[in-house]
Amino acid sequence: MSFSATGLARSLRELDLVLSWLETGLIVCLFGALVVLGLGLLVADATGHFAPGTVRGLIGVVVTWLVMAGCARMTARGEHPAVRLAGVRRAGGRQEVIQVGVSMLCALACLGLAWAGWKFLVLDISLGSSSQAGVPSWAALIAVPVGFAVMTARFLAQAAGAVLKSGWPRSATG
């Protein structure tokens, strides 16, 4: 493996480590916020001091972000169904080609979904973002392009890692 490929592999591992810590921290914080909001909803229903609709709207935002962060984390750990498909052992040297191909196709699909989520977010904001009990819907909608962009980066990193690990494409002389 060349010096530049080794540096790229190290950079990808470091990026993966940083993203893993950030995703785990975000999931823990969001889950904690969900528990606090759930308790707040109980208090709101019991006392009537503030509108439970606002708390329900905030819960919707937190759940959306939690789902997208969880999907990104699943992608990183290789628990995504497409990644499991790529992990099936094949006879011969085609395993790396299949893994790279599946990762690239998944990255392309996630990139398309991130783009569509971004266009939907821009459309919602340009038309005047709707809200539920004072909680704007863009706060939840922004999770879709961000989450799919992170998944795209993860799949591209997995494909690059598989290419670097296998040494593919090999030179004609070696």
Side-chain angles (χ1 to χ4, degrees):
M1 191 180 301
S2 71
F3 180 72
S4 61
T6 304
L8 178 61
R10 186 179 317 117
S11 297
L12 287 174
R13 281 192 304 272
E14 290 171 358
L15 177 64
D16 184 53
L17 183 64
V18 169
L19 284 176
S20 294
W21 278 97
L22 287 173
E23 289 164 352
T24 302
L26 182 64
I27 289 170
V28 168
C29 289
L30 288 171
F31 188 73
L34 193 60
V35 170
V36 169
L37 286 170
L39 293 173
L41 185 60
L42 289 174
V43 171
D45 282 341
T47 63
H49 280 65
F50 54 96
T54 303
V55 177
R56 286 188 189 103
L58 290 172
I59 287 174
V61 170
V62 170
V63 166
T64 304
W65 276 96
L66 191 58
V67 166
M68 292 310 294
C71 289
R73 191 70 190 124
M74 280 179 54
T75 301
R77 288 186 173 187
E79 294 172 359
H80 191 280
V83 176
R84 276 193 243 139
L85 174 68
V88 174
R89 295 287 176 211
R90 306 274 184 202
R94 295 184 6 201
Q95 174 62 27
E96 293 85 13
V97 175
I98 291 171
Q99 187 174 6
V100 170
V102 169
S103 294
M104 292 300 287
L105 285 173
C106 289
L108 184 63
C110 287
L111 182 64
L113 290 168
W115 178 252
W118 174 255
K119 296 299 281 183
F120 186 64
L121 175 67
V122 168
L123 178 68
D124 182 66
I125 291 173
S126 68
L127 294 176
S129 186
S130 59
S131 65
Q132 296 178 359
V135 179
S137 63
W138 65 263
L141 290 177
I142 200 167
V144 175
V146 169
F148 280 116
V150 170
M151 284 187 268
T152 300
R154 290 288 197 177
F155 279 123
L156 289 174
Q158 288 172 2
V163 167
L164 292 173
K165 182 179 176 184
S166 68
W168 178 69
R170 291 186 170 88
S171 65
T173 61

